[in-house]
Amino acid sequence: DTGVSQDPRHKITKRGQNVTFRCDPISEHNRLYWYRQTLGQGPEFLTYFQNEAQLEKSRLLSDRFSAERPKGSFSTLEIQRTEQGDSAMYLCASSLLRNEQFFGPGTRLTVL
Amino acid sequence: SQQGEEDPQALSIQEGENATMNCSYKTSINNLQWYRQNSGRGLVHLILIRSNEREKHSGRLRVTLDTSKKSSSLLITASRAADTASYFCATDPMVRGSNYKLTFGKGTLLTVNP
């Protein structure tokens, strides 16, 4: 257990539905990251928060994706109108300054 | 795009043997980190080595970094069946304005046979 938690651990949804994932970082960590990992690949960066400010978004993050981190604590990642290509493991990580990033267990999304 | 590339893609050894995995990357870095991932689970942080360091140890793990060759290696000594996992290197590229987003390779799948 790294101290980063994610909920839910698994999500199965039908194409076109909206889904929301939650990440609770290590409490004193001011930086929070979302990554996506598909089978056989390493994680790919999606977006980054420093405190409550979203400072960077990857081009992988289409308009259907939105992320928030209200009050600089937990974060949510929402995918609207899901597509089969969204099926992946969504990983959250947190860090203090430019040190180790600690990852949560991930949310595995399956879009039918 | 993925900057780091691990080599080999897969490695199978017997318990008690040493395992060496290599990582090459393309741009200058602030630091390089190694992670372990068991099948379908999250990533576990192993070691962070900064660009001004050449070697670090942690238990049975030894990491080296050669910034002139843009490469790193992870050595696991006296391997155990529980070390079976995928191992990833991740780099923090030295890019102006970079927000410390890690760039991962595709990983090395290590299998340790009892």
Side-chain angles (χ1 to χ4, degrees):
Chain A
D1 183 3
T2 63
V4 179
S5 61
Q6 292 188 245
D7 184 68
R9 296 289 301 275
H10 302 272
K11 179 72 178 177
I12 300 174
T13 190
K14 293 182 180 178
R15 190 176 54 186
Q17 298 293 305
N18 300 342
V19 295
T20 301
F21 310 140
R22 176 179 170 125
C23 170
D24 286 89
I26 294 171
S27 58
E28 62 267 27
H29 285 184
N30 59 340
R31 297 179 179 220
L32 186 147
Y33 305 81
W34 286 97
Y35 293 83
R36 181 170 70 187
Q37 184 180 25
T38 54
L39 202 61
Q41 303 292 316
E44 291 182 292
F45 169 80
L46 291 179
T47 190
Y48 156 68
F49 289 86
Q50 184 162 317
N51 300 312
E52 66 275 8
Q54 187 174 19
L55 296 185
E56 188 170 350
K57 295 197 297 186
S58 163
R59 279 173 282 182
L60 292 175
L61 223 59
S62 75
D63 292 344
R64 298 183 296 105
F65 288 72
S66 63
E68 294 183 341
R69 192 184 182 196
K71 301 178 183 177
S73 55
F74 70 92
S75 176
T76 59
L77 177 68
E78 180 183 16
I79 309 175
Q80 295 182 329
R81 305 180 304 281
T82 52
E83 301 172 355
Q84 287 184 326
D86 297 331
S87 295
M89 174 82 90
Y90 290 83
L91 295 161
C92 173
S94 70
S95 75
L96 184 63
L97 303 177
R98 209 173 192 107
N99 295 317
E100 297 86 344
Q101 290 191 19
F102 293 95
F103 281 77
T107 294
R108 181 169 296 285
L109 173 67
T110 302
V111 182
L112 302 176
Chain B
S1 64
Q2 296 182 304
Q3 168 170 232
E5 283 199 17
E6 292 88 347
D7 171 61
Q9 290 188 330
L11 179 61
S12 181
I13 59 174
Q14 295 300 122
E15 215 167 18
E17 294 180 339
N18 296 342
T20 299
M21 288 159 269
N22 302 297
C23 170
S24 60
Y25 56 91
K26 297 173 187 170
T27 64
S28 297
I29 59 171
N30 292 300
N31 65 61
L32 183 146
Q33 304 181 40
W34 284 91
Y35 287 86
R36 184 185 76 224
Q37 185 177 40
N38 291 85
S39 180
R41 315 282 285 274
L43 282 84
V44 174
H45 187 270
L46 297 176
I47 284 186
L48 179 152
I49 187 166
R50 299 193 187 278
S51 59
N52 60 352
E53 298 175 310
R54 291 297 165 257
E55 189 171 312
K56 279 189 97 166
H57 296 256
S58 176
R60 294 184 294 113
L61 307 180
R62 172 179 167 249
V63 168
T64 61
L65 179 64
D66 186 335
T67 52
S68 67
K69 294 182 180 177
K70 292 187 170 58
S71 67
S72 173
S73 67
L74 170 66
L75 169 66
I76 304 174
T77 60
S79 63
R80 306 166 182 167
D83 295 328
T84 295
S86 291
Y87 291 81
F88 294 90
C89 71
T91 54
D92 171 19
M94 190 180 291
V95 174
R96 190 168 65 180
S98 169
N99 284 312
Y100 185 33
K101 60 191 182 211
L102 295 177
T103 304
F104 287 81
K106 293 185 178 182
T108 292
L109 177 59
L110 173 66
T111 302
V112 181
N113 301 299

